[in-house]
């Protein structure tokens, strides 16, 4: 399914100009009290490029500047109004903002949709007014908005400048992400705090970021996907436009679900459904802000490798071995090179070098630092591998003297040129990740990491992304209403209507019906108690019943044991040579009806059983284990 | 098996005094050439506390100091001699060192045991001379030795000062480890580079570190375990003495095995065997230098949690949720608190706080920073959880003003006092990991991490270590010689002698023997072709043969198909109600004979099958998957 790639890219989109590139802004609730958002945002707003009106009816000045008592009192239209007043004043402030010409409103105020039924009603009323006025609302219960490309500073904190578009339902998570981005010389193009997503949702913001020139990739922290199908569609289009979405979400555990509900009143989707959505949309799911930054560095700097065979290029036997092992645990394979490639590499290196893959340059770095670029040339031009993982000490040779320092930076440039000239990709790990040579690599578009854990993990993710492509998002009809009756025979008939063959079966409620069924069906048969999901664990399924007498005996046992509302008598299916599949349907609160298809029978159960037999594995871990099997490969 | 804990601790041990606390040292091959080890080590040696003799027969001075032409020319006994000359001069230099009274020799020289048969013979001859003289040899092909507690500086690089004893078969790996240790305000007590382990092995050094007062934990990077059983025993005793060993090794892939062989000529053990050895010895195995440092911080700073139930204490809903999910993927469980505990926690926090677990202090940090310590008091005194994982922003509140900065450091002290007073443990992640408050936590013995990935991973490892204890190392007889004949019936008879019951079976080589066997055994029987490990995949096993006629027919088919040297006719075993086990034996090059016991039949195959069915999973990944199931829980 690659419908995605043939779909016209971003046919029509809300670029949310009033939110990100307003001509004039106002802060309602501007304050001198340094414990209040109205203060923090005012301080930031005054650092921005747009004219700012500080609104406070009770104070003539705030931060030493004259205030206005209301937005309407400004006397000219204000494109964007930030509302940072207590919940009780929220509606009136929005009314005033709309009356003052606001096209976009940022709701900092908390205690609304996330705080119970009254707050939800108030929030819905305000959203209706905003939409009627043709405006849009970010939040409420959010931390603001920022656009470094337009000079807009309306968030409680500043962020480093760069080309990552950040959309977050948690302010602290965005702040932490920024600290990790800085490690990689990355920064933020735009930041939007989602809050309650009462009007604008993550999908809207992804659409706007996808057409934003200053944004190269999108970082999304989201607890509630709202219209999940629309989000998937928006993320697909962003990926197709070359702006991949990296998603950090929650819901892997009861604990995080409990917490997300109380944090933003979120409807949390199943992790399995989110994983499927990511595969369909070409979104990359991560599990921490650090992973997010690590992956973003590579997505914005390097091309995807072709395949999972990699060269490991290291200085030092230890780094060569450890990097090879780590690569293998990340779906990569350091295949042994052909004799002729080994010869070509050996010609560039000292005689003690290892050249079979991994490559250990041994003392090559000290003797002739340019050997790294020459070896890399061989690795980028061979079809034996699709990428190079470099590991060790590069960037540290400069410490041995000025001449070597200069040569090392030159080597970094040569390496970048080699990569640019050919089709392979290169990911570098070095303990000297903050050296002049490492900085030069980054500037030239080579991702550089401090640890082999993240470098190998990132390269594995890139390789999987390259191998997989996006599943694509098919056009889907709106979901039908759920069935009122989902009993066994209802499901069976539905599947039969869909063309799935079933052995003959009859529902029976008493012995007379049972005998009549026995006469109609071909023995051996199976008898199943209905009305209990775990019937087979409780003696509710009897297989291979040879004749009517045994059938009646089995029926009496089941009735004694379980007193089921009814039973099903079915001809035994011949399972020789078949593949058992598990097919399930669930209705996700945000993604709607989803189908689970997997290997059935023993395969569905054994992983869990093995896990439980071997030790105290949680259900979450068992689930994650199953997911991890799926994760790297479509 | 906890024999370990009742064994006398460290009954007798070589403390290697001449190596780590020599009175006088000499550097043979001292040089002014800054590209040579003889220069680097001389530079370091002169920074040390011991009197140093620079030995060079060709230069009157090195580094501006007078040299001596030989160790014997020094005129007084020299306890420790570093030999940094080319391989051709190694033996003569060692002879001179021993003649000059050396009790310990550090062999920097390369091109010996790792460089082929000639080098190995030379190395063995030198080791014999060293041992005859009652001395010990570190290396050759090593990077030196360092002891910050005795002021000894005989390695090519310096290391930060601390209490981690480092033993490494790779210089660069030790250098990288040091950069990660510094992140955690940790450093190195001793560093010994293993090189070829011609005389002193990792086990010897572990024994010496275990009785070293300045060492709190031991970091071991090792490619070749030499006498694996002795190493396990030494690591056990070190752990029992409160000095846990953290091991980084290689061999998870063909690539790393290839490389380790060329790096140090290592005999690389199977990863499964190494894992079993670690469990037995209470060693913690890691897969990167970063993991090593992360785990060491916790092992030297905090106690082990009781159990896997943890509290998550966060500032911000995002951090609370992400930390909960990460904890669950690391064998931890953020269980929902009882109503009464929730009430007690709620009383310390703002009304918007989440208190069910995870705890989100919401605005509590800004309003009253001491709330962290008060909440922690409840978490450390309840038996509902055994540890606390804190995540988020702590350390950053100080940025809001001097008063809050002071209160935040006070809070860090209160938190450390709470942990010290009770029996729980605390691991902290904060994006402000380099703040005054975070530094105060570290100083007070609380491990602090920058990322939730490593914080949750470490806490999971601690919990597993606490739950598991060390298996202990039983006293083992020396392994017997391998059997000459390991055929099917030999193995069967060995197991029968050991008390394992088998169904009746007869080996047959022709149809006459087959018919005789059929007459002796009870039908149904199974016929197995012998002499081919993969017989069942190739039609060499026929099950459920009902009578003699069918037996003969099956035999003819098998002979046509496989022409086996012989067949086994066996009574069918009744498998109803049994548990299938897989039992294997292998002889590891370093650990000797080892037994593999696991779930057999479908369980042994299915994980691999599932992995292969779902996508391109390597054999390494499948193996790692199996191992990962075992890893966290004994």
């Amino acid at each position: 399914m690659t419908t995605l790639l043939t779909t016209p890219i971003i046919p029509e989109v809300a670029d949310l100009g009033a939110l990100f590139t307003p001509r004039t802004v106002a802060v309602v609730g501007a304050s001198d009290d340094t414990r209040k958002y109205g203060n923090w945002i005012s301080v930031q707003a005054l650092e921005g490029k747009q004219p700012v009106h500080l609104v406070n009816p009770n104070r003539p000045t705030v931060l030493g500047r004259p205030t206005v008592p209301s937005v309407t009192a400004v006397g000219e239209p204000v494109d964007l109004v930030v509302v940072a007043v207590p919940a009780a004043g929220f509606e009136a402030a929005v009314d005033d903002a709309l009356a003052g010409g606001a096209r976009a409103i940022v709701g900092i105020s908390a205690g609304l949709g996330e705080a119970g039924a009254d707050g939800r009603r108030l929030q819905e009323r305000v959203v209706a007014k905003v939409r009627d006025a043709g405006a849009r609302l970010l939040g409420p219960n959010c931390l603001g908005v920022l656009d470094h490309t337009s000079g807009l500073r309306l968030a409680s904190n500043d962020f480093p400048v760069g080309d990552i578009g950040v959309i977050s339902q948690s302010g602290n998570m965005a702040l932490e992400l920024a600290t990790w981005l800085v490690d990689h010389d990355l920064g933020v193009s735009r930041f939007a705090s989602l809050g309650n997503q009462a009007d604008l949702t993550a999908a809207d913001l992804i659409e706007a970021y996808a057409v934003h020139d200053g944004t190269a990739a999108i970082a999304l922290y989201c607890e509630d996907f709202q219209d999940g199908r629309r989000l998937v569609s928006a993320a697909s289009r962003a990926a197709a436009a070359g702006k991949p979405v990296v998603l950090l979400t929650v819901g892997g555990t009861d604990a995080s679900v409990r917490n997300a509900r109380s944090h933003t009143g979120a409807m949390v989707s199943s992790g399995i459904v989110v994983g499927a959505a990511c595969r369909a949309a070409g979104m990359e799911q991560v599990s921490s802000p650090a992973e997010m930054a690590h992956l973003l560095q590579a997505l914005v700097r390097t091309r995807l490798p072709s395949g999972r065979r990699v060269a490991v290029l290291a200085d030092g036997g230890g780094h060569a071995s450890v990097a090879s092992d780590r690569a293998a645990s990340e779906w990569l394979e350091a295949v042994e090179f052909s004799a002729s490639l080994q010869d070509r590499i050996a010609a560039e290196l000292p005689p003690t070098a290892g050249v079979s893959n991994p490559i250990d340059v041994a003392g090559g770095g000290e003797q002739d630092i340019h050997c790294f670029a020459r070896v890399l040339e061989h690795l980028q031009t061979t079809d034996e591998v699709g990428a190079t993982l470099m590991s060790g000490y590069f960037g540290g040779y400069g410490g041995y003297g000025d001449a070597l320092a200069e040569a090392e930076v030159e080597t970094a440039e040569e390496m970048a040129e080699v990569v640019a000239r050919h089709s392979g990709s290169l990911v570098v790990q070095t303990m000297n990740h903050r050296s002049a040579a490492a900085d030069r690599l980054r500037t030239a578009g080579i991702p550089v990491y401090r640890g082999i854990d993240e470098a190998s993990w990132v390269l594995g993710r890139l390789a999987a992304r390259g191998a997989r492509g996006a599943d694509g998002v098919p056009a889907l009809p709106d979901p039908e209403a759920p069935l009122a009756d989902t009993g066994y025979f209802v499901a069976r008939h539905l599947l039969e209507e869909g063309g799935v063959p079933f052995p003959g079966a009859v529902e029976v409620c008493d012995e007379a019906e049972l005998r009549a069924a026995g006469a109609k069906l071909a023995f051996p048969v199976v008898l199943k108690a209905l009305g209990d999901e775990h019937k087979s664990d409780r003696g509710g399924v009897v297989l291979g019943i040879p004749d009517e007498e045994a059938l009646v005996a089995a029926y009496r046992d089941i009735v004694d044991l379980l007193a089921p509302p009814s039973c099903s008598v079915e001809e035994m299916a011949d399972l020789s040579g078949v593949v058992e599949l598990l097919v399930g349907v669930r209705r996700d609160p945000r993604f709607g009806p989803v189908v689970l298809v997997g290997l059935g029978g023993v395969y569905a159960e054994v992983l869990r059983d093995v896990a439980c037999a071997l030790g105290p594995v949680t259900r979450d871990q068992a689930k994650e284990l199953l997911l991890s099997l799926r994760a790297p490969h479509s």
Side-chain angles (χ1 to χ4, degrees), chain A:
Chain A
M1 287 194 294
T2 51
T3 53
L4 163 66
L5 301 176
T6 58
T7 304
I9 292 166
I10 321 284
E12 192 181 340
V13 103
D15 73 354
L16 302 178
L19 186 63
F20 291 108
T21 57
R23 288 160 301 179
T24 317
V25 304
V27 181
V28 181
S31 169
D32 281 316
D33 183 340
T34 59
R35 294 167 304 174
K36 290 190 170 172
Y37 278 105
N39 172 265
W40 305 340
I41 289 182
S42 297
V43 168
Q44 291 292 327
L46 296 174
E47 300 286 321
K49 285 193 182 153
Q50 295 75 12
V52 177
H53 302 282
L54 301 182
V55 180
N56 189 324
N58 306 318
R59 308 228 161 218
T61 67
V62 163
L63 298 172
R65 291 171 49 118
T67 60
V68 288
S70 66
V71 177
T72 41
V74 168
E76 59 167 10
V78 179
D79 287 346
L80 170 57
V81 176
V82 181
V83 179
V85 299
F90 183 64
E91 186 169 15
V94 172
D95 288 342
D96 171 50
L98 294 173
R103 314 290 298 159
I105 293 171
V106 176
I108 306 294
S109 311
L112 294 154
E114 81 284 8
D118 287 351
R120 260 197 308 282
R121 271 191 299 273
L122 170 55
Q123 178 175 295
E124 281 164 17
R125 200 161 63 229
V126 170
V127 168
K129 287 178 178 176
V130 169
R131 289 183 174 166
D132 283 350
R136 303 305 301 261
L137 169 69
L138 183 68
N141 189 26
C142 87
L143 303 179
V145 65
L146 169 152
D147 185 331
H148 279 311
T149 60
S150 72
L152 186 73
R153 297 268 293 269
L154 293 175
S156 53
N157 297 74
D158 191 19
F159 287 88
V161 178
D163 58 7
I164 306 299
V166 176
I167 303 167
S168 181
Q169 212 165 352
S170 156
N172 276 357
M173 202 50 79
L175 288 179
E176 183 175 336
L177 172 63
T179 73
W180 294 101
L181 291 176
V182 167
D183 279 13
H184 303 309
D185 288 350
L186 297 175
V188 174
S189 55
R190 285 176 169 176
F191 163 69
S193 169
L194 285 171
N196 294 353
Q197 302 185 72
D199 175 35
L200 289 172
T201 63
D204 294 307
L205 291 156
I206 290 171
E207 285 182 2
Y209 284 30
V211 295
H212 178 229
D213 285 340
T215 293
I218 300 167
L220 172 61
Y221 174 76
C222 191
E223 296 175 0
D224 187 328
F225 295 101
Q226 300 289 336
D227 183 343
R229 291 168 185 235
R230 217 185 119 225
L231 180 111
V232 164
S233 172
S236 282
R237 290 204 303 275
K243 303 188 180 181
V245 178
V246 179
L247 169 68
L248 174 59
T249 186
V250 302
T253 56
D254 293 345
S256 71
V257 171
R258 260 198 315 273
N259 185 65
R261 285 198 180 123
S262 77
H263 182 210
T264 49
M267 296 283 277
V268 178
S269 294
S270 146
I272 292 175
V273 175
V274 174
C278 284
R279 285 190 295 278
M283 271 194 288
E284 294 288 335
Q285 194 178 352
V286 295
S287 66
S288 70
E291 283 190 358
M292 196 168 222
H294 297 326
L295 188 53
L296 282 164
Q297 182 188 192
L299 288 172
V300 301
R301 293 220 166 105
T302 193
R303 57 175 82 96
L304 300 180
S306 54
R308 45 192 289 271
R309 291 175 307 157
V310 297
V312 171
L313 172 57
D315 32 10
H319 279 87
S321 287
V322 168
S324 300
D325 282 354
R326 292 291 316 176
S329 68
E330 302 293 356
W331 195 64
L332 303 169
E333 203 177 1
V335 290
E336 187 165 14
F337 293 143
S338 68
S340 74
L341 182 54
Q342 292 194 34
D343 288 345
R344 276 174 281 153
I345 294 166
E348 312 288 0
L349 294 173
T352 52
V355 296
S356 66
N357 198 18
I359 299 164
D360 170 13
V361 304
E366 289 90 345
Q367 291 173 29
D368 173 12
I369 186 80
H370 299 279
C371 74
F372 285 103
R374 293 197 309 271
V375 170
L376 191 63
E377 176 89 32
H378 294 295
L379 300 177
Q380 298 279 308
T381 51
T382 179
D383 59 3
E384 296 184 25
V385 295
T388 300
L389 176 62
M390 188 162 146
S391 177
Y393 193 73
F394 190 79
Y397 297 100
Y400 301 151
D402 289 346
L404 197 43
E406 200 175 311
E408 191 173 39
V409 171
E410 281 168 22
T411 304
E413 277 162 14
E414 290 158 16
M415 288 165 59
E417 281 162 24
V418 168
V419 172
R421 208 160 52 230
H422 305 296
S423 62
S425 65
L426 170 65
V427 169
V428 175
Q429 178 268 327
T430 170
M431 69 180 89
N432 299 298
H433 64 118
R434 271 296 164 208
S435 56
D439 288 344
R440 193 63 62 97
L441 286 174
R442 276 189 208 91
T443 309
I446 309 288
V448 179
Y449 296 91
R450 180 177 175 195
I452 192 62
D453 308 71
E454 55 263 30
S456 55
W457 173 79
V458 162
L459 188 54
R461 290 291 288 254
L462 293 184
R465 186 173 177 84
R468 183 177 64 225
D471 288 354
V473 183
L476 290 171
D478 284 339
E480 291 183 29
L483 295 173
D485 178 1
T486 56
Y488 180 78
F489 274 90
V490 173
R492 215 174 187 276
H493 290 150
L494 266 178
L495 288 167
E496 271 181 330
E497 281 172 21
V500 177
F502 280 84
V506 178
E507 184 170 11
V508 299
C509 292
D510 57 34
E511 279 194 26
E513 289 180 13
L514 181 79
R515 287 178 195 276
K520 250 174 65 183
L521 299 170
F523 282 94
V525 296
V526 53
L527 182 65
K528 301 176 179 173
L530 300 184
D532 179 353
E533 274 192 20
H534 303 287
K535 57 186 180 299
S536 64
D537 296 340
R538 298 177 55 193
V541 176
V542 182
L543 294 168
I545 301 170
D547 52 34
E548 186 183 317
E549 189 185 349
L551 178 61
V552 172
Y555 182 76
R556 288 174 184 168
D557 285 349
I558 280 182
V559 169
D560 278 357
L561 191 66
L562 302 172
S566 66
C567 285
S568 174
V569 189
E570 305 176 19
E571 292 172 358
M572 286 288 286
D574 177 8
L575 294 184
S576 56
V578 307
V579 174
E580 285 185 79
L581 290 181
L582 173 78
V583 179
V585 176
R586 69 167 66 175
R587 187 170 285 259
D588 184 85
R590 293 311 194 194
F591 290 93
V594 291
V595 178
L596 171 74
V597 180
L599 290 170
V602 69
Y603 289 90
E605 301 292 334
V606 159
L607 273 174
R608 204 192 54 204
D609 288 355
V610 169
C612 292
L614 288 173
V617 171
T618 62
R619 297 183 75 82
D620 290 324
Q621 282 183 295
K623 194 182 81 186
E624 199 179 55
L625 188 74
L626 280 157
L627 290 173
S628 74
L629 276 169
R630 293 278 313 170
H633 29 79
S634 108

